[in-house]
Amino acid sequence: MVVPRVQAAIAQAFGEEFRDTDPVVRPSQFADIQINAAMALAKKVGLPPRDAAARIVEALELDGLCTGVEISGPGFINLTFDGTWIEELLNVQASQPQGGPETQARRVVVDYSSPNVAKEMHVGHLRTTVVGDSLVRVLEALGHTVIRQNHIGDWGTPFGMLIEHWLEVGEDSPEAALLVEDPSAFYQAARAKFDASDSGPESFATRARLRVVSLQSAHEETLEVWQRLVDHSKGYFNAIYAKLGVSLEDEHIAGESSYDPHLAQLCQELEERGLARISEGALCTFPAGFTGRDGEPLPLIIRKSDGGYGYATTDLATIRYRVRELHADRILYVVGAPQNVHLRMVFESAREAGWLPDAVEATHVQIGNVLGEDGKILKSRSGTPVKLMALLDEAVDRARAVVDASRPELSEEERAVTARQVGIGAVKYADLSTGHDTEYVFDFDRMLALSGNTGPYVQYAAARIRSILRKAGDGGAVPTAADPTAVALAAAGEPTAVARIAVVEPAERALALHLLEYGATLRRVGELLEPHRLCAYLFELSQLFTTFYDQCPVLKADDSVRESRLALCALVLHRLSEGLDLLGIETPENM
């Protein structure tokens, strides 16, 4: 809103090298906003902070934007916006609520979720899945071309015992059905059989090892069984994604198997170009800037001493493919924080090989752990990782108990839908509202609370507005606001007729100013890859709406004021619904 003008003023006052300086915009108790950039700039430009602030104010172009500009304290710049200017911008938003796309659209590849075939998705997969999905939604809303990549674990030595176990039990057996219902049980049964087997020539363990060779040699029967294992697991993955409301589909799967044919050639190229060498029997790269505790260069193993390939080899292949074939300008790896050093070494090795040009940005979106109440990684009572489906089912059950108690007048179907929306939304919001690289404690009671920065609090604000607009529509006294109300309630399309919004009361003004920050917030989320900033925006919007509704009568106001405030309510609802959708969270009709 005002940031580009402040940055232009800073550039004019101190030179173009300062144009990208953060204006440090903060709320002010004396004005609408406070600009604190002068405090940080003072030493760099060799001026006292107050003098630096005066130079910025002198260069500021604020005609028609502000009615008051004041320098206070050691160098704070307080701006009070012109009410007419606020109304004009707000009414443009109300008539064109979808906004415009990002001016410099890019091709962004996002690698996220990445479960393993024949294994249960557990709570550790929750964050990579919901953070990644929110980022792709925001980036698409900003006008970027986003390519989803679900890098599933569908290759490697464990598939020898999985395939052999499948052949023994049969496709129509109850054991095979576990791949969709309880994948870990199928895997554990195969593992137990492998571990208990002797080493004889006809033993299960021997056959499993030979099956790995058959798989790598593209033996027809082995590949057919492998494909069935993958397809059954896809059914399980899709059940989880449907429960979570995640936008991943089968077409986005690009598993480890898709890169396997290229790994030998990749290693050969690195070795021939002198970028990889044998170290203790393994082929390794030694990317610049990485050393061990002994000060020696840290190796990245791309071919093991036994001739096998590891994660580094496949990760290098993904980068090469995503740059060459997908033409990525930006690649995001939404992966656990412990993989940071590994991925940075992969990125550096790819740059040294020329597979990751300087013009292409590769970023590790680090994902922190989900903790239990004991402060340790969340696990079940048996000590195993918490199964994601069981966790989601419990969230819905808990939400259903609350909905049944608070809204018994709703139909069975309405209560079931609301419980699902609130339960799943609560889990996703709790995850997304925390910085993705930090840990958080999983607490159902806090997640489902109707107070504080929670999903249900934001959802309740939206449902409350829906109720207000329904009551207004029933009275038939909102002729010019009828279209935006209907559109907001349908959460689709753009309103064609909007009552003009007037900003008079302080609570209206505060709400209006926050609405105007929506586009800047989305751009910030897309730039910094931090969905928690959108959560914070929606939470504050919900709080400001509550204050507005408490202080400014809507349904009982005089006609012109009523129309204005109903249109303002409709715009708030649109922003809440759109923002929640970008988080992958539904907006309930009733709560």
Side-chain angles (χ1 to χ4, degrees):
M1 186 169 60
V2 74
V3 167
R5 297 196 188 205
V6 176
Q7 290 179 317
I10 291 172
Q12 183 176 335
F14 305 117
E16 281 297 322
E17 64 269 29
F18 294 102
R19 180 175 289 276
D20 293 332
T21 298
D22 183 355
V24 194
V25 179
R26 297 288 185 268
S28 172
Q29 60 182 0
F30 306 109
D32 288 323
I33 62 170
Q34 187 176 87
I35 307 296
N36 297 344
M39 313 296 289
L41 279 169
K43 287 186 178 180
K44 296 178 182 178
V45 299
L47 290 172
R50 195 173 176 89
D51 291 350
R55 293 272 295 274
I56 295 172
V57 169
E58 184 179 355
L60 266 174
E61 292 289 341
L62 298 174
D63 292 344
L65 190 148
C66 288
T67 57
V69 182
E70 178 189 27
I71 300 174
S72 66
F76 305 124
I77 303 172
N78 292 318
L79 302 182
T80 300
F81 296 121
D82 180 84
T84 302
W85 177 78
I86 294 173
E87 289 182 0
E88 289 300 325
L89 286 183
L90 195 64
N91 281 289
V92 168
Q93 274 203 15
S95 62
Q96 300 174 342
Q98 301 298 337
E102 185 81 4
T103 53
Q104 294 183 335
R106 304 168 76 184
R107 288 179 65 83
V108 187
V109 173
V110 185
D111 182 328
Y112 68 108
S113 192
S114 306
N116 293 308
V117 166
K119 286 189 179 180
E120 189 93 29
M121 287 181 71
H122 54 76
V123 70
H125 291 103
L126 174 67
R127 302 203 75 186
T128 61
T129 302
V130 301
V131 170
D133 204 58
S134 178
L135 289 176
V136 300
R137 289 168 183 261
V138 170
L139 291 168
E140 285 180 334
L142 290 170
H144 298 294
T145 298
V146 179
I147 303 170
R148 295 161 173 80
Q149 295 276 274
N150 192 358
H151 188 66
I152 65 172
D154 64 351
W155 201 250
T157 54
F159 281 89
M161 68 180 189
L162 291 171
I163 292 170
E164 200 63 29
H165 180 54
W166 172 280
L167 288 170
E168 281 198 356
V169 300
E171 182 173 4
D172 298 325
S173 67
E175 290 85 352
L178 290 172
L179 278 169
V180 177
E181 301 164 5
D182 186 2
S184 291
F186 183 90
Y187 180 89
Q188 289 162 5
R191 182 85 245 181
K193 191 182 292 185
F194 183 90
D195 292 341
S197 174
D198 59 39
S199 57
E202 300 300 324
S203 70
F204 179 84
T206 299
R207 297 199 312 273
R209 292 189 183 98
L210 291 173
R211 190 64 65 177
V212 175
V213 178
S214 295
L215 179 63
Q216 293 172 341
S217 303
H219 180 261
E220 185 175 353
E221 180 193 29
T222 302
L223 280 178
E224 286 178 0
V225 176
W226 169 82
Q227 188 61 59
R228 289 175 195 157
L229 288 171
V230 173
D231 290 342
H232 274 65
S233 286
K234 285 180 183 179
Y236 166 73
F237 299 154
N238 289 335
I240 292 283
Y241 296 149
K243 191 90 169 181
L244 276 172
V246 167
S247 61
L248 282 171
E249 298 178 357
D250 286 354
E251 65 185 86
H252 303 131
I253 289 177
E256 294 174 355
S257 62
S258 60
Y259 300 100
D260 185 71
H262 310 289
L263 302 186
Q265 182 272 332
L266 180 148
C267 291
Q268 181 180 349
E269 181 179 339
L270 289 173
E271 194 169 15
E272 290 176 348
R273 293 172 57 189
L275 296 172
R277 59 182 172 83
I278 301 295
S279 175
E280 298 183 12
L283 183 65
C284 308
T285 63
F286 294 85
F290 295 90
T291 56
R293 293 180 180 178
D294 57 2
E296 293 297 313
L298 199 62
L300 182 70
I301 300 174
I302 60 170
R303 189 179 65 220
K304 302 174 188 177
S305 57
D306 63 3
Y309 305 111
Y311 292 123
T313 331
T314 306
D315 288 338
L316 283 170
T318 67
I319 290 178
R320 187 170 66 169
Y321 172 78
R322 290 164 183 175
V323 172
R324 289 181 178 179
E325 306 299 328
L326 300 182
H327 308 293
D329 299 312
R330 192 181 193 189
I331 309 173
L332 310 181
Y333 288 78
V334 187
V335 179
Q339 299 300 314
N340 182 252
V341 173
H342 164 80
L343 283 174
R344 286 194 291 116
M345 292 179 71
V346 168
F347 296 161
E348 182 58 31
S349 292
R351 290 204 187 278
E352 291 175 359
W355 300 333
L356 184 62
D358 291 341
V360 179
E361 173 189 340
T363 303
H364 176 200
V365 181
Q366 300 185 53
I367 302 298
N369 292 321
V370 182
L371 308 178
E373 294 181 359
D374 58 0
K376 299 178 181 179
I377 293 176
L378 184 64
K379 293 184 178 180
S380 66
R381 292 181 180 178
S382 65
T384 59
V386 176
K387 295 178 179 180
L388 184 51
M389 184 64 86
L391 180 144
L392 298 177
D393 286 340
E394 183 175 353
V396 175
D397 289 343
R398 286 173 176 254
R400 179 60 188 266
V402 175
V403 173
D404 284 346
S406 60
R407 297 300 303 273
E409 76 280 7
L410 296 178
S411 69
E412 168 72 19
E413 182 181 357
E414 288 173 320
R415 281 181 282 137
V417 170
T418 300
R420 177 185 58 77
Q421 293 173 325
V422 172
I424 300 300
V427 171
K428 295 179 76 172
Y429 189 95
D431 197 309
L432 292 164
S433 61
T434 304
H436 60 70
D437 57 347
T438 61
E439 300 176 327
Y440 76 94
V441 175
F442 194 93
D443 181 347
F444 271 126
D445 291 338
R446 182 183 62 81
M447 290 177 180
L448 291 165
L450 278 172
S451 59
N453 187 12
T454 68
Y457 179 81
V458 177
Q459 287 175 315
Y460 178 75
R464 189 180 190 185
I465 300 173
R466 288 186 189 276
S467 176
I468 293 167
L469 296 177
R470 279 195 295 267
K471 290 177 182 177
D474 289 343
V478 200
T480 54
D483 285 340
T485 298
V487 168
L489 287 172
E494 295 185 5
T496 55
V498 183
R500 181 168 179 81
I501 300 173
V503 179
V504 179
E505 300 296 332
E508 290 175 317
R509 186 184 185 92
L511 184 57
L513 286 171
H514 193 64
L515 283 166
L516 294 178
E517 289 299 323
Y518 180 74
T521 299
L522 287 192
R523 287 190 291 274
R524 198 72 170 153
V525 172
E527 174 189 347
L528 300 177
L529 308 173
E530 295 177 343
H532 73 270
R533 293 177 179 272
L534 179 54
C535 293
Y537 174 88
L538 297 175
F539 174 54
E540 186 175 350
L541 181 60
S542 301
Q543 289 181 306
L544 289 169
F545 172 78
T546 298
T547 301
F548 155 77
Y549 190 68
D550 289 344
Q551 296 180 6
C552 302
V554 177
L555 296 176
K556 294 182 179 180
D558 293 338
D559 287 349
S560 60
V561 175
R562 184 175 189 267
E563 289 183 11
S564 168
R565 289 177 179 171
L566 282 170
L568 183 57
C569 287
L571 181 55
V572 173
L573 174 57
H574 188 94
R575 288 292 175 240
L576 289 173
S577 299
E578 183 179 54
L580 286 171
D581 183 65
L582 294 178
L583 296 173
I585 297 173
E586 295 182 43
T587 308
E589 289 285 339
N590 300 285
M591 280 187 69

